[in-house]
Amino acid sequence: IDEYYDLLVQHIISQAVESLSENPSRRFIIVEMAYFTIWWQKTATALQQEKCRKVVASGQLEFIIGGWTMEDEACTTFSANIDQMTEGHQFLLNTFGVRPRFGWQIDPFGASSVVHEHFALMGFDATVISRIDYRFKRAMADNQTLEFVWRPSKNSDIEIFTHCLDFPSYGTAIRGVEWDDGDDLVNSTNIKMLSDRLVDNIKSRSAYFATNAILFPWGMDFEHFGALLDFENMDQLVSYINQRSDDYGVVVRYATLGEFFDALHSINRTWPTHGNTDWFPYADEPAGYW
């Protein structure tokens, strides 16, 4: 954890907070308190802490899950789940006066009904999963049922709204382009080409969902260590696309997970349901079991 933090994570958080401070339309989510508490207690200056408080209060920066980590779902014990969530949530409540509202289990290898039953009992409004068997995900995508109400308990009427990420789950906004590595920085020559690629990606993924409110995660493992540069480039694409929204047929905006779910739930729709399903084992291809 120290190596990842020193090389990448401290820069991601510092630059993200600074980027949000510069532009009120920008958004960012932070998940794991194991990293964030180090930044807050050992790295952040008083000025950075003040900027962080402001972007949390404004809703630009949202804490998701808020536990010590994004826990494994196959081997974690009940008590370990409660302990690590309690520690992270207590830190956020004491420091910012906020309580996380959403799960974000996008990288554990499989999805457990018990973990998400716990999330519902913790008061989460919704949860996001991703790594489920590719055959189940493909069938759900083909039937536009990647968003559903999960009823994870055999013994109660507990339920939690669930969004399953589509293909390719999460990653760079435009495949192969990583601005924080200096790739394909936006300019007057390439802005149309990059905008076209982004819109094509959005439209291809929209086919998997039943509404026109599409969650498009922008971020990869340890991406945004150059968040200032990332946002400067994405700002230009957002502006370019929205100025031509009639031609492109889409409107793009930065959003926290809370803003996405608020938009989704404003749509008058009856959602499909799942019972106490466990999505184990996890495979992402015929011979690719994890």
Side-chain angles (χ1 to χ4, degrees):
I1 189 171
D2 290 340
E3 181 180 0
Y4 284 145
Y5 179 80
D6 292 339
L7 289 176
L8 295 166
V9 177
Q10 64 170 318
H11 306 296
I12 293 171
I13 299 174
S14 293
Q15 289 215 14
V17 169
E18 185 63 30
S19 297
L20 300 185
S21 299
E22 290 183 356
N23 185 334
S25 73
R26 296 170 176 171
R27 300 291 188 269
F28 203 80
I29 64 170
I30 291 178
V31 173
E32 296 175 314
M33 295 305 101
Y35 285 126
F36 183 79
T37 54
I38 299 173
W39 181 82
W40 183 263
Q41 295 166 356
K42 297 183 178 181
T43 302
T45 64
L47 179 58
Q48 286 176 314
Q49 288 185 342
E50 179 60 25
K51 288 182 177 182
C52 188
R53 290 186 189 279
K54 288 181 178 179
V55 294
V56 170
S58 70
Q60 292 175 260
L61 176 60
E62 184 175 44
F63 295 104
I64 305 300
I65 299 182
W68 212 241
T69 185
M70 185 190 303
E71 68 186 73
D72 176 75
E73 297 197 24
C75 303
T76 303
T77 64
F78 178 89
S79 59
N81 178 11
I82 298 298
D83 288 347
Q84 71 100 7
M85 293 291 281
T86 299
E87 188 165 359
H89 282 210
Q90 195 64 58
F91 167 79
L92 290 173
L93 186 62
N94 292 340
T95 307
F96 299 100
V98 299
R99 179 186 67 81
R101 297 171 51 207
F102 306 104
W104 182 255
Q105 295 290 104
I106 65 169
D107 219 19
F109 304 149
S112 162
S113 60
V114 173
V115 169
H116 297 273
E117 180 182 357
H118 292 172
F119 285 173
L121 291 169
M122 291 173 193
F124 281 10
D125 295 335
T127 189
V128 179
I129 61 175
S130 180
R131 291 186 181 272
I132 64 173
D133 187 280
Y134 70 97
R135 287 158 292 196
F136 288 114
K137 181 179 278 196
R138 172 54 63 187
M140 293 163 71
D142 289 345
N143 291 303
Q144 295 186 327
T145 56
L146 288 168
E147 292 165 330
F148 56 91
V149 176
W150 196 353
R151 294 172 178 158
S153 175
K154 292 181 180 180
N155 304 313
S156 74
D157 58 358
I158 291 170
E159 60 185 30
I160 187 166
F161 187 83
T162 305
H163 174 104
C164 183
L165 298 184
D166 59 283
F167 309 95
S169 185
Y170 59 91
T172 56
I174 303 170
R175 185 175 292 275
V177 177
E178 297 187 29
W179 290 313
D180 49 13
D181 280 338
D183 293 345
D184 294 317
L185 299 182
V186 178
N187 56 53
S188 59
T189 302
N190 66 13
I191 190 168
K192 182 181 185 303
M193 178 270 292
L194 292 173
S195 296
D196 289 349
R197 287 176 61 187
L198 179 57
V199 170
D200 287 345
N201 195 350
I202 293 169
K203 287 184 174 180
S204 67
R205 298 174 78 165
S206 70
Y208 303 137
F209 296 97
T211 79
N212 61 3
I214 306 300
L215 176 64
F216 189 103
W218 174 35
M220 193 59 185
D221 294 350
F222 302 107
E223 194 179 356
H224 301 310
F225 60 84
L228 286 162
L229 190 59
D230 285 343
F231 274 110
E232 287 172 4
N233 282 270
M234 184 57 85
D235 286 349
Q236 296 179 66
L237 297 191
V238 169
S239 176
Y240 185 91
I241 292 168
N242 288 343
Q243 289 173 12
R244 297 160 179 79
S245 60
D246 288 343
D247 296 328
Y248 277 121
V250 302
V251 174
V252 182
R253 58 161 294 189
Y254 296 122
T256 61
L257 196 58
E259 289 172 322
F260 166 71
F261 279 123
D262 286 345
L264 195 63
H265 291 165
S266 69
I267 299 170
N268 185 19
R269 179 175 176 78
T270 300
W271 301 98
T273 61
H274 280 277
N276 63 312
T277 304
D278 286 317
W279 279 290
F280 292 116
Y282 168 61
D284 61 351
E285 58 184 4
Y289 283 86
W290 298 50

